[in-house]
Amino acid sequence: MTAIKHALQRDIFTPNDERLLSIVNVCKAGKKKKNCFLCATVSTERPVQVNVVKVKKSDKGDFYKRQIAWPLRDLTVVDAKDANKENPDFDLHFDKVYKWVASSVVEKNSFISCIWKLNQRYLRKKIDFANVSSQLLEESIPSGESQIVVGGDEESVDEYQELNAREEQDIEIMMEGCEYAISNAEAFAEKLSRELQVLDGANIQSIMASEKQVNILMQLLDEALKEVDEIEQKLSSYEEMLQSVKDQMDQISQSNHLIQLSNTNNKKLLEEIEFLVNHMDLSKGHIKALEDGDLSSSRGIEACTNASEALLHCMNISLRPGHEMLHAVKKQQASFSHYKEHFARRLASHLNNVFVHQGHDQSSTLAQHSVELTLPKHHPFHRDLLQYAKLMEWLKNTDREKYEGLIRNYVDYISKLYEREIRDFFEVAKTKMSCTTKEGKKFATLPRKETAVKQETESLHGSVGKLTGSTSSLNILSVQGSGSRRSQSSSLLDMGNMSASDLDVADRTKFDKIFEQVLSELEPLCLAEQDFISKFFKLQQQLNVGTSPGELEETDGLVSSRPLMSGPEKQPSASSEKEIVRQMMIKIFRTIEPELNVLIAFGDKIDSFNSLYMLVKMSHHVWTAENVDPASFLSTTLGNVLVTVKRNFDKCISSQIKQMEEVKISKKSKVGILPFVSGFEEFAELAESIFRNAERRGDLDKAYIKLIRAVSANVEKVANESQKTPRDVVMMENFHHIFATLSRLKISCLEAERKEAKQKYTDHLQSYVIYSLGQPLDKLNQFFEGIEARVAQGVREEEVSYQLAYNKQELRKVIKEYPGKEVKKGLDNLYKKVDKHLCEEENLLQVVWHSMQDEFIRQYKHFEGLIARCYPGSGVTMEFTIQDILEYFSSIAQSH
């Protein structure tokens, strides 16, 4: 072990300026026996660093390597496992517990003893040694040397102490004085021993010679001890005197403390009494106001408000510990409860009477509004009741049951009043709408169908009328000619005379104003009532109501609430109080939504196109209400009604599409512009004027797309079924009308349909022109078609004249059949036929005639080109020129 220790000191610790003090060969407990060494080391430099180092032998050689080092200051416990029996196991507690098994008990004890010494010297006994034999620790310090170890004698711990510089210098001087100090060390040692003996003898003789001086010194010490005893006696007497003074001062101090404590207690008692008197004393004036105050005058209401606030302050004062046990405090609190209950009963009874009287008084004012489309104003009633707002807030905080009872009673009385007012208001609105319809009937040029007045509807639709009609009174159309095409119509297909159309527009404008006035009257009424409820019942403040959304229930037409919270300390959120307001508004104005739906149905029966006006107006009012409060009663109610209006609008559009599909055409007259095509134009003009800057433009755009697709599909259907008018003419005229309408109105969502209508118009115009031009020069067309067929079969153009059927003689024969007069005659007949096909309204005759002229000239040039290529040098030409063609077309157009 000594050799290992020396090797470790040399290879590992000396390079690190450390000195190895103790070593133990160990292995970890419970694992494979891999041996290593635990070393206790100290640094050679100041300040001294003490470490426990784990050293392991390398697997590839005989050298050792330093594996881990723990500072000794981190060691908390050294556990030797058993203090009575020899046991090689021991634990070291650093950041965690390390369990070790020493190779021998002797090495273990030596290592623990070294750790204990280092602990005594450097750590001031901070390490706890558990299960370590006390005998082992006592042996670590020889008798008489414990103070030396504690005092810091390094020789008791260190096995080796290096010489200092002075000692080295003295030894060198001594060795220089002896020639054989190095060559004969034994002789040098004997010489030093003899000199030491001589010095010891001299020291003894010197001590014996100084005995007399020692005796004198001892005598002086005895005299000094006597003086010390005398001084101690005087100090004791002084101490007794001071002790009596101290006792007297202690008595005086105790007396002063008791006086100060008494004064402090008196001050605190006075403060408590002043606190109770200042915060729990209600003046006689307040008591009188609570018991007998006048709740019908402004001055009395103000006095009662001040008294109730003072009472609430006294009741809600936060008492200090112990106050509630005082008899006077209990008595005062009982008085406060009595005043509170008595005033709460008076206030609830008075407000209930105010609600009842208001319901009766307001009923008397309904007669003056029965003929006007206005709703009675409740501002005076609200203004009078708002004087009690602070009292309602007091009642809300003190007596929730009576507060909720007032809410139920208010909702009960005011809902009945509003129900009568709103029903009368809507009756006036329906009457005015009916009068508008009757006035329209008086001046209509042609009769219209009517329904019973008992059903509160009147049909504005008959055999004539422009853009009028309900979906319930449509007639199946029969197209009987251009002069009578507009005589039978209804709904989108109605094509009446101008007077009837103007009356319809006037009726709709009046209906729009009436409907707008209805909404404009309802909106401020609801907003004013909602604002009053919030202010009067204090439902926008975080106070103790005890209700939440969904807790308001209808019981015999009243609003009741169930408290969700068990104590007044629970408070509802602002959102829940908004919901309470909304529920109250639903109960108060429960007739608004049904009456609005009835009015909407009534307007829709009068004229299905009224749904356009209602959709725009209702959308605007919903948008305005949602900007103010999306969850309010007004926003929700108008939103529900808007859904109904939107459904009616969709039904109106679907009905128009169905009517288009049911259109029948006459087999004996030409078709011309179809009624639903003209109807779509007028519908679009009307809708654009109504929906200008409207919020729900998207609904109209969707309806446009549905209608235009239905119009296009049914135009093609009618064109396919037409027998009198060619298909191309029907398609050309109607799609030209659609294109012109969309170009004029500039409806952005129908841009694709506008381009499609233009394309269809152009295609069918070209098709009609080509088809019509083939008839006047039939044989000439057939001849040149035959030539083109031969060329297509591979015959060279210059060889066509050698074909028997297409030689020069045949060509001259065909050309002679169409002299200028015949061509002009054929074109004149063609013009008459085209004129019969086309209608006057669309005015496309000149357009078609010009297109035919261009096509005729194109064919003429094509024929001239074929003659030049297939009959070169023959000198054969047409008997009329392009200039002749232009004159023919111009003269024919002017003659007609």
Side-chain angles (χ1 to χ4, degrees):
M1 183 62 72
T2 304
I4 295 174
K5 183 176 180 182
H6 177 72
L8 293 177
Q9 177 66 52
R10 182 187 68 241
D11 299 338
I12 296 178
F13 299 111
T14 298
N16 293 329
D17 296 328
E18 292 179 297
R19 188 167 66 252
L20 177 61
L21 301 181
S22 181
I23 183 172
V24 58
N25 186 6
V26 297
C27 62
K28 288 187 178 181
K31 292 190 175 182
K32 295 180 180 179
K33 305 300 181 180
K34 292 184 178 180
N35 291 341
C36 59
F37 297 98
L38 292 180
C39 305
T41 67
V42 295
S43 64
T44 58
E45 296 179 354
R46 301 288 179 178
V48 177
Q49 300 292 330
V50 186
N51 295 321
V52 176
V53 183
K54 178 182 176 184
V55 178
K56 184 179 179 183
K57 189 173 183 180
S58 175
D59 297 335
K60 298 181 180 180
D62 295 334
F63 63 91
Y64 297 90
K65 61 181 180 180
R66 184 185 186 123
Q67 193 169 14
I68 189 171
W70 298 277
L72 190 64
R73 64 177 177 273
D74 294 344
L75 182 61
T76 56
V77 179
V78 176
D79 187 0
K81 297 298 184 180
D82 197 334
N84 299 322
K85 296 181 181 180
E86 294 185 350
N87 187 356
D89 297 345
F90 68 98
D91 296 344
L92 299 181
H93 294 234
F94 288 101
D95 54 342
K96 64 180 183 178
V97 179
Y98 293 90
K99 299 181 181 293
W100 306 101
V101 179
S103 60
S104 68
V105 178
V106 176
E107 290 183 9
K108 164 191 167 183
N109 293 338
S110 175
F111 183 76
I112 293 176
S113 177
C114 181
I115 295 296
W116 190 86
K117 292 175 183 179
L118 294 172
N119 176 49
Q120 294 292 319
R121 180 172 183 180
Y122 296 107
L123 301 182
R124 301 185 183 277
K125 302 180 181 180
K126 290 184 178 179
I127 302 176
D128 181 18
F129 289 84
N131 301 317
V132 178
S133 172
S134 58
Q135 182 180 0
L136 176 62
L137 299 180
E138 290 173 0
E139 290 175 355
S140 300
I141 304 178
S143 61
E145 296 183 0
S146 62
Q147 294 300 325
I148 298 175
V149 172
V150 175
D153 186 4
E154 203 168 36
E155 294 295 334
S156 64
V157 178
D158 299 343
E159 295 181 3
Y160 170 75
Q161 180 64 46
E162 294 182 0
L163 297 177
N164 56 33
R166 184 175 180 180
E167 288 173 346
E168 289 180 357
Q169 186 178 3
D170 292 341
I171 290 174
E172 288 178 358
I173 294 172
M174 187 183 299
M175 292 177 68
E176 288 176 357
C178 182
E179 296 179 355
Y180 53 86
I182 296 176
S183 60
N184 192 351
E186 292 181 359
F188 180 65
E190 289 179 1
K191 179 185 175 182
L192 294 177
S193 178
R194 287 193 301 270
E195 290 178 355
L196 181 61
Q197 289 176 2
V198 172
L199 290 175
D200 287 342
N203 287 335
I204 293 172
Q205 289 177 1
S206 177
I207 291 172
M208 292 176 66
S210 61
E211 182 177 359
K212 183 178 180 179
Q213 285 81 359
V214 171
N215 290 333
I216 294 171
L217 179 62
M218 294 298 294
Q219 186 178 358
L220 291 174
L221 290 174
D222 291 339
E223 292 176 357
L225 289 175
K226 289 180 181 180
E227 292 292 333
V228 170
D229 291 340
E230 291 178 0
I231 292 172
E232 286 183 352
Q233 290 177 0
K234 290 182 180 182
L235 290 175
S236 298
S237 64
Y238 293 157
E239 185 178 358
E240 290 177 359
M241 295 170 64
L242 291 174
Q243 183 64 37
S244 63
V245 174
K246 179 178 179 296
D247 293 340
Q248 293 175 7
M249 294 301 296
D250 289 343
Q251 292 178 359
I252 294 172
S253 175
Q254 185 176 5
S255 177
N256 289 336
H257 175 69
L258 292 175
I259 292 172
Q260 185 178 3
L261 182 63
S262 177
N263 290 336
T264 302
N265 289 338
N266 289 335
K267 288 181 180 179
K268 290 186 176 181
L269 179 60
L270 181 61
E271 290 177 359
E272 296 296 329
I273 293 174
E274 288 178 347
F275 173 80
L276 292 175
V277 171
N278 293 335
H279 293 90
M280 295 195 68
D281 184 29
L282 198 62
S283 67
K284 292 183 179 179
H286 288 163
I287 294 174
K288 184 177 181 181
L290 292 172
E291 291 183 342
D292 303 317
D294 184 10
L295 289 172
S296 58
S297 65
S298 299
R299 182 174 297 178
I301 293 172
E302 183 178 0
C304 290
T305 301
N306 296 332
S308 63
E309 290 177 351
L311 175 62
L312 183 62
H313 176 74
C314 292
M315 295 181 67
N316 290 341
I317 190 68
S318 180
L319 296 177
R320 297 171 183 173
H323 284 178
E324 64 275 0
M325 300 177 65
L326 298 176
H327 177 71
V329 172
K330 292 181 180 178
K331 184 177 179 181
Q332 193 74 347
Q333 287 177 336
S335 300
F336 292 157
S337 298
H338 170 71
Y339 297 147
K340 181 200 74 172
E341 293 175 359
H342 177 70
F343 183 69
R345 286 195 300 270
R346 286 184 60 230
L347 178 62
S349 176
H350 179 76
L351 290 177
N352 280 326
N353 293 333
V354 172
F355 298 158
V356 173
H357 290 317
Q358 174 61 21
H360 293 306
D361 295 343
Q362 194 75 10
S363 299
S364 62
T365 64
L366 293 178
Q368 64 184 14
H369 296 278
S370 59
V371 295
E372 302 175 3
L373 193 58
T374 57
L375 281 165
K377 305 300 180 184
H378 290 242
H379 175 69
F381 174 54
H382 292 166
R383 181 192 58 215
D384 295 340
L385 279 179
L386 283 177
Q387 299 180 88
Y388 301 94
K390 291 185 177 179
L391 291 176
M392 283 300 298
E393 183 178 3
W394 175 85
L395 188 64
K396 183 179 184 180
N397 290 320
T398 55
D399 196 331
R400 187 166 53 199
E401 183 178 355
K402 289 184 174 60
Y403 170 79
E404 293 173 353
L406 282 175
I407 290 179
R408 291 193 296 270
N409 291 338
Y410 176 80
V411 171
D412 179 34
Y413 291 120
I414 206 68
S415 62
K416 294 178 181 177
L417 174 62
Y418 275 122
E419 184 175 355
R420 294 194 299 272
E421 293 176 353
I422 291 170
R423 284 180 178 171
D424 292 344
F425 174 72
F426 276 96
E427 287 298 326
V428 173
K430 286 185 282 188
T431 301
K432 288 183 175 295
M433 291 179 182
S434 300
C435 292
T436 300
T437 305
K438 291 175 181 177
E439 290 175 3
K441 287 185 176 186
K442 291 179 182 178
F443 300 99
T445 57
L446 292 175
R448 304 181 186 183
K449 293 184 178 180
E450 298 181 0
T451 56
V453 178
K454 295 181 181 179
Q455 298 177 355
E456 297 182 330
T457 61
E458 256 183 319
S459 175
L460 298 180
H461 321 93
S463 58
V464 295
K466 184 177 183 181
L467 283 175
T468 66
S470 70
T471 57
S472 60
S473 61
L474 292 175
N475 298 323
I476 298 177
L477 299 180
S478 297
V479 180
Q480 299 176 351
S482 60
S484 61
R485 185 185 305 111
R486 297 174 180 259
S487 62
Q488 295 185 5
S489 61
S490 63
S491 188
L492 185 65
L493 310 180
D494 291 348
M495 301 292 171
N497 55 42
M498 289 303 296
S499 60
S501 301
D502 294 340
L503 285 173
D504 290 334
V505 173
D507 289 348
R508 295 193 185 106
T509 303
K510 290 180 181 179
F511 175 85
D512 181 42
K513 291 181 180 179
I514 294 172
F515 191 74
E516 171 62 23
Q517 188 173 358
V518 169
L519 296 179
S520 299
E521 288 288 325
L522 290 175
E523 187 171 340
L525 181 73
C526 294
L527 292 177
E529 183 64 30
Q530 180 171 321
D531 182 63
F532 168 74
I533 288 174
S534 301
K535 292 179 180 178
F536 182 67
F537 291 102
K538 298 295 179 181
L539 286 174
Q540 289 182 346
Q541 303 176 11
Q542 304 248 350
L543 299 176
N544 312 326
V545 180
T547 56
S548 66
E551 291 302 308
L552 291 175
E553 296 181 349
E554 186 172 359
T555 306
D556 297 331
L558 303 180
V559 175
S560 64
S561 60
R562 295 196 305 266
L564 289 179
M565 286 79 74
S566 58
E569 67 278 0
K570 302 282 184 77
Q571 298 181 357
S573 63
S575 59
S576 66
E577 293 195 338
K578 286 184 178 180
E579 180 64 18
I580 294 172
V581 173
R582 197 175 72 85
Q583 294 291 338
M584 291 177 65
M585 292 290 291
I586 291 175
K587 304 301 179 185
I588 292 173
F589 293 106
R590 54 177 174 258
T591 58
I592 285 184
E593 186 172 341
E595 289 292 337
L596 272 175
N597 288 330
V598 171
L599 184 67
I600 289 167
F602 181 74
D604 190 58
K605 289 180 181 179
I606 292 176
D607 187 345
S608 63
F609 286 109
N610 285 335
S611 60
L612 277 71
Y613 292 95
M614 292 188 287
L615 181 62
V616 172
K617 296 299 181 184
M618 189 63 68
S619 300
H620 175 71
H621 283 271
V622 169
W623 179 80
T624 304
E626 286 181 348
N627 285 340
V628 176
D629 184 2
S632 66
F633 162 77
L634 183 64
S635 176
T636 305
T637 302
L638 294 183
N640 295 338
V641 176
L642 178 60
V643 173
T644 303
V645 174
K646 178 61 170 60
R647 288 174 181 167
N648 290 344
F649 175 75
D650 293 339
K651 289 179 182 177
C652 175
I653 299 302
S654 300
S655 176
Q656 311 313 316
I657 294 173
K658 183 178 180 181
Q659 293 166 33
M660 295 180 196
E661 296 171 352
E662 295 175 352
V663 167
K664 302 295 182 180
I665 62 171
S666 173
K667 296 180 180 179
K668 297 180 180 180
S669 61
K670 59 183 177 181
V671 176
I673 303 302
L674 292 170
F676 54 78
V677 174
S678 301
F680 174 78
E681 176 187 7
E682 298 175 14
F683 171 82
E685 291 175 349
L686 176 66
E688 287 298 310
S689 65
I690 296 173
F691 278 80
R692 186 176 295 111
N693 301 323
E695 285 80 7
R696 293 184 68 95
R697 176 75 192 191
D699 296 328
L700 179 63
D701 291 344
K702 294 177 182 178
Y704 274 150
I705 293 174
K706 291 181 181 178
L707 286 174
I708 197 65
R709 290 177 179 173
V711 168
S712 299
N714 285 284
V715 166
E716 293 189 13
K717 173 186 172 185
V718 172
N720 293 331
E721 295 175 355
S722 173
Q723 297 179 3
K724 183 71 175 178
T725 305
R727 179 180 183 277
D728 288 329
V729 172
V730 176
M731 297 288 286
M732 173 184 65
E733 288 182 327
N734 285 278
F735 279 106
H736 177 268
H737 192 86
I738 294 172
F739 168 70
T741 299
L742 297 181
S743 299
R744 177 169 52 84
L745 297 178
K746 297 180 181 179
I747 302 173
S748 58
C749 68
L750 298 181
E751 183 62 24
E753 284 74 10
R754 185 186 72 85
K755 294 179 180 179
E756 182 182 356
K758 181 180 180 181
Q759 185 63 41
K760 289 184 177 181
Y761 155 68
T762 305
D763 293 343
H764 289 286
L765 171 62
Q766 190 67 21
S767 175
Y768 176 67
V769 168
I770 294 173
Y771 173 77
S772 299
L773 280 178
Q775 296 175 355
L777 308 176
D778 189 23
K779 294 182 179 180
L780 193 62
N781 273 296
Q782 291 177 5
F783 183 83
F784 283 106
E785 286 176 0
I787 294 175
E788 290 175 343
R790 293 293 188 275
V791 173
Q793 291 173 2
V795 178
R796 296 174 63 182
E797 290 181 343
E798 57 271 17
E799 296 178 355
V800 171
S801 60
Y802 299 107
Q803 298 287 327
L804 182 62
Y806 300 100
N807 55 27
K808 296 177 183 179
Q809 289 77 14
E810 292 295 328
L811 175 62
R812 288 191 180 94
K813 186 186 298 183
V814 173
I815 289 175
K816 286 183 179 179
E817 292 185 7
Y818 292 100
K821 293 182 179 180
E822 289 297 325
V823 172
K824 184 177 180 181
K825 182 178 179 181
L827 290 176
D828 188 61
N829 293 332
L830 177 62
Y831 185 89
K832 294 178 181 179
K833 184 173 293 187
V834 170
D835 185 35
K836 290 181 180 180
H837 289 163
L838 298 179
C839 65
E840 299 176 359
E841 291 86 348
E842 204 59 22
N843 197 20
L844 287 178
L845 179 58
Q846 296 303 321
V847 176
V848 174
W849 190 242
H850 185 73
S851 297
M852 288 185 170
Q853 173 183 296
D854 294 341
E855 179 63 23
F856 195 93
I857 293 173
R858 188 192 65 79
Q859 290 186 15
Y860 177 87
K861 292 179 179 180
H862 178 64
F863 295 158
E864 287 287 334
L866 285 177
I867 293 173
R869 292 194 303 273
C870 297
Y871 303 94
S874 62
V876 180
T877 58
M878 303 287 287
E879 293 191 0
F880 52 91
T881 64
I882 293 178
Q883 186 62 36
D884 296 333
I885 295 173
L886 294 175
E887 291 179 0
Y888 298 158
F889 274 93
S890 176
S891 62
I892 292 172
Q894 291 176 3
S895 64
H896 291 280

